[in-house]
Amino acid sequence: QVQLVESGGGLVQPGGSLRLSCAASGSIFSIGAMAWHRQAPGKQRELVATISTGGSTNYAGSVKGRFTISRDNAENTVYLQMNSLKAEDTAVYYCKANIATIKNTYLEVWGQGTLVTVSS
C-alpha cells in the first residue's frame, strides 16, 4: 500500500505565503515525477506545477514566478512554496506522484487534498 499525505494548508491573507508538503509512504521502490494540482470551488482540477526525478520543473502560467515546487528524494517528499498569494489561489491542493512499488507495480497516487484559503 502506498499513500500521499499533504499538510500545510490554511487561511492566509492576500500577499501572504504558505508552504505545502506531501510525503509518500508505504511499499515504495522509487518515485518518478511528482506534481501539485488544485481545484477551486465550482471549477475543474488544474495542474499547478510538476517536478521530475532530476529536478526539472514546469509551472502553470497563473503561478509562474510566485510558486516554487521542490522535492527531497531521500524523504520521498514534495513541497510547494506559495508566495504573493491571491484570492484566486483559493482551492483544495492535491499532490500526485508516479510510484513504482516493491511489488513491481506502477501506480499514479493522489493525496487527499489540503485546503488553501486566501482571504482578508
Side-chain angles (χ1 to χ4, degrees), residues 3-101:
Q3 63 176 353
L4 299 177
V5 178
E6 297 118 334
S7 60
L11 174 64
V12 62
Q13 292 186 342
S17 299
L18 278 177
R19 189 192 195 207
L20 306 182
S21 301
C22 172
S25 63
S27 304
I28 298 169
F29 177 73
S30 65
I31 301 178
M34 304 182 83
W36 287 95
H37 291 68
R38 68 185 180 185
Q39 187 166 18
K43 295 187 177 181
Q44 289 188 332
R45 191 173 298 190
E46 63 175 356
L47 178 64
V48 174
T50 64
I51 186 166
S52 70
T53 304
S56 297
T57 60
N58 282 289
Y59 297 92
S62 60
V63 307
K64 193 172 293 185
R66 300 187 298 122
F67 290 11
T68 302
I69 188 172
S70 61
R71 64 190 289 169
D72 183 334
N73 291 330
E75 297 293 329
N76 290 337
T77 300
V78 63
Y79 303 97
L80 186 67
Q81 177 66 44
M82 305 184 294
N83 299 329
S84 302
L85 282 161
K86 306 174 182 179
E88 51 263 44
D89 294 318
T90 295
V92 177
Y93 285 71
Y94 300 89
C95 65
K96 185 184 74 172
N98 297 328
I99 295 176
T101 73

Side-chain angles (χ1 to χ4, degrees), residues 2 27-30 98-108:
V2 176
S27 304
I28 298 169
F29 177 73
S30 65
N98 297 328
I99 295 176
T101 73
I102 61 174
K103 296 184 178 180
N104 203 31
T105 57
Y106 296 87
L107 305 173
E108 182 181 88

